[in-house]
Amino acid sequence: MEKKNIDWSNLGFGYIETEKRFVSNYKNGAWDEGALVSDSMITMSECAGVLQYAQTCFEGMKAYTTEDGRIVTFRPDLNAARMEDSCKRLQMPVFPQDKFIEAVSKVVEANEAYVPPYGSGATLYIRPYMFGSSPVIGVKPADEYQFRIFATPVGPYFKGGVKPLTIRVSDFDRAAPNGTGHIKAGLNYAMSLYPIVTAHEEGYDENMYLDPKTRTKVEETGGANFLFITKDGKVVTPKSSSILPSITRRSLMQVAKDYLGLEVEEREVYLDELENFAECGLCGTAAVISPVGKVVDHGKEICFPSGMNDMGPVTKKLYDTLTGIQMGRIEAPEGWIHVIK
Ligand SMILES: *Cc1c(COP(=O)(O)O)cnc(C)c1O
C-alpha cells in the first residue's frame, strides 16, 4: 500500500479530507448495519436536533504506526465506553461498544494511506461522533440519529521542541457541578470558545477552570486534564465529578504507579496550593502531556520550578514511558494496544 505524499512532520492540526468514513443511521429504534462511504458531506433537516438544541457528542483518538510497523489504536474500548456515557446523558441511543471498535478499525484500514509512518511524530486522528438528525422543535430528544467516524492526519504536537505553556485562571466556568462536564459533549466546547479566544488574545495558551461552586479548586482546561507533581515526586490529579475522565490521564496515573513506582493520588486540588507543586502538565490524546510552566491568577504569577524551557523531569519520564508504550518500544499492559493490522 502506497502512502500519500504528505510532509508528515510538517502537518498541522487541521482537517484534511480522507477517502472513507463510517456512517450508521438510527431510525425506528434501531441502528442500521452502517457502511464506509466516500461522501464527506451531510444533508439533513434544517430543524435537526443537533442544529436546534445541540444534541451531539464526540470522541477523539488516534491511530499510528508502531516501531515494528503495525497500525494500532490506544485503548479504544475506553473511548467506546465513554461515548456510551455521553450518549446516555444526552438522551441519545448508544452505538454498541463492540461495533464502535470495529468501525474505528474499518475507517483506519480504509484510510491506511493516511496513517503516518513511525517516527514522523504525526498520527491519524480519529473522530467518532453522533448527532440528532431528525426535526425537533418542541424541546425533546430527536427520533433519528447518525453515528459517524472520520479520520484525518495530524502533525506532531510539539513541532520544533516542547514549550511549556502559560495558562490563566479563568473567570468563566466550564461545567456546572451536576451538569455535563464529565461527558464529551460539543456544548461544553461551544461555551469555551469565548474564553479561549480572549485568552489567546491576551497572550495565554489555555484557561484553567475552577470548580464553579466554590471557585477554590482546580478542575481542568477546555480540553485537557491536569497532572501535578509534588516536590517529593508524588503524582496528583484533581478529583471532581465535573472533570472529563481523560483516557490519557488515567493511563498516565497507572504508568506512574506500575512502571515508575511513583505514589499517585486523585484528590481535590486547591488553587492556593499550586505554588507547592514542582511540575504541572496537561494531558489529552493530542499531546499526551504538555508541560505548564506558569499559571497566572489575576496578575499573580505561579511559576513552577520546572521552568519555561523544558518538561519537568517527572513529567518527562511519564511522557517517555507512555509514548514508549504507545509506539511499541515498551511492553504495554494487557489490552492497551489494539492492533488493526
Ligand atoms: C477529550 C478531553 C480530554 C482528554 O481526554 P483524552 O481521553 O485523554 O483524550 C480532557 N478534557 C476534556 C474536556 C476533553 O474533552
Side-chain angles (χ1 to χ4, degrees):
M1 192 266 334
E2 201 168 325
K3 292 285 178 193
K4 293 286 164 185
N5 184 20
I6 292 175
D7 182 5
W8 305 106
S9 46
N10 283 311
L11 266 179
F13 197 95
Y15 172 72
I16 296 172
E17 189 179 322
T18 54
E19 270 141 46
K20 299 285 182 187
R21 67 276 304 123
F22 179 83
V23 182
S24 178
N25 288 295
Y26 182 88
K27 200 173 172 171
N28 300 322
W31 289 105
D32 66 13
E33 268 304 290
L36 290 172
V37 303
S38 299
D39 190 358
S40 63
M41 292 306 204
I42 298 172
T43 304
M44 65 180 149
S45 166
E46 64 185 354
C47 197
V50 58
L51 299 178
Q52 303 311 323
Y53 302 124
Q55 200 184 12
T56 180
C57 64
F58 67 99
E59 274 301 322
M61 52 205 293
K62 52 197 189 185
Y64 48 92
T65 309
T66 57
E67 190 172 34
D68 62 359
R70 293 172 305 165
I71 294 176
V72 306
T73 54
F74 183 69
R75 309 188 78 180
D77 52 318
L78 297 187
N79 294 97
R82 192 168 64 187
M83 187 142 186
E84 173 160 346
D85 294 340
S86 299
C87 288
K88 285 179 171 162
R89 178 65 177 80
L90 296 173
Q91 282 293 335
M92 300 168 80
V94 171
F95 192 77
Q97 292 190 26
D98 54 336
K99 293 234 167 83
F100 174 107
I101 295 170
E102 245 174 61
V104 166
S105 296
K106 280 185 193 162
V107 171
V108 174
E109 270 194 275
N111 297 296
E112 192 187 339
Y114 293 91
V115 181
Y118 174 76
S120 64
T123 57
L124 185 71
Y125 185 76
I126 304 164
R127 170 55 59 91
Y129 60 114
M130 192 190 294
F131 53 90
S133 52
S134 60
V136 173
I137 194 78
V139 177
K140 66 177 176 64
D143 294 320
E144 295 173 12
Y145 294 84
Q146 195 164 92
F147 171 73
R148 298 177 74 103
I149 305 175
F150 69 76
T152 190
V154 296
Y157 197 83
F158 299 116
K159 247 182 270 170
V162 173
K163 258 202 76 184
L165 307 177
T166 299
I167 65 181
R168 71 166 177 194
V169 175
S170 179
D171 288 324
F172 293 94
D173 294 326
R174 190 190 86 86
N178 299 297
T180 54
H182 61 301
I183 60 163
K184 226 168 162 70
L187 56 90
N188 292 336
Y189 280 79
M191 63 85 229
S192 75
L193 297 177
Y194 180 80
I196 194 62
V197 168
T198 50
H200 289 163
E201 283 167 359
E202 290 164 34
Y204 302 103
D205 298 300
E206 282 291 344
N207 287 300
M208 171 182 276
Y209 291 105
L210 304 179
D211 76 296
K213 195 167 176 182
T214 71
R215 301 196 59 82
T216 58
K217 289 175 278 187
V218 176
E219 294 252 303
E220 60 172 317
T221 66
N225 287 180
F226 279 106
L227 277 189
F228 297 99
I229 313 297
T230 64
K231 287 183 176 142
D232 55 2
K234 190 192 287 183
V235 184
V236 177
T237 192
K239 184 184 175 86
S240 155
S241 58
S242 47
I243 289 176
L244 192 283
S246 156
I247 295 164
T248 314
R249 184 257 300 163
R250 287 181 273 164
S251 303
L252 285 164
M253 293 298 274
Q254 195 171 328
V255 162
K257 186 157 66 76
D258 297 345
Y259 283 71
L260 303 178
L262 300 172
E263 224 181 297
V264 297
E265 202 169 49
E266 185 177 356
R267 63 162 169 87
E268 293 181 325
V269 173
Y270 286 85
L271 181 60
D272 65 11
E273 62 174 311
L274 286 191
E275 49 208 348
N276 302 331
F277 291 118
E279 302 173 35
C280 172
L282 295 178
C283 4
T285 294
V288 179
I289 312 184
S290 318
V292 175
K294 193 196 286 187
V295 177
V296 181
D297 176 17
H298 301 90
K300 178 186 168 194
E301 295 199 345
I302 301 150
C303 300
F304 297 105
S306 52
M308 293 305 293
N309 292 315
D310 292 302
M311 272 195 187
V314 178
T315 306
K316 176 94 170 73
K317 255 192 234 167
L318 284 166
Y319 177 83
D320 287 344
T321 310
L322 185 58
T323 52
I325 288 169
Q326 290 180 329
M327 291 299 165
R329 298 185 296 262
I330 297 173
E331 195 178 339
E334 178 82 32
W336 279 23
I337 302 298
H338 179 77
V339 180
I340 290 172
K341 67 180 286 182

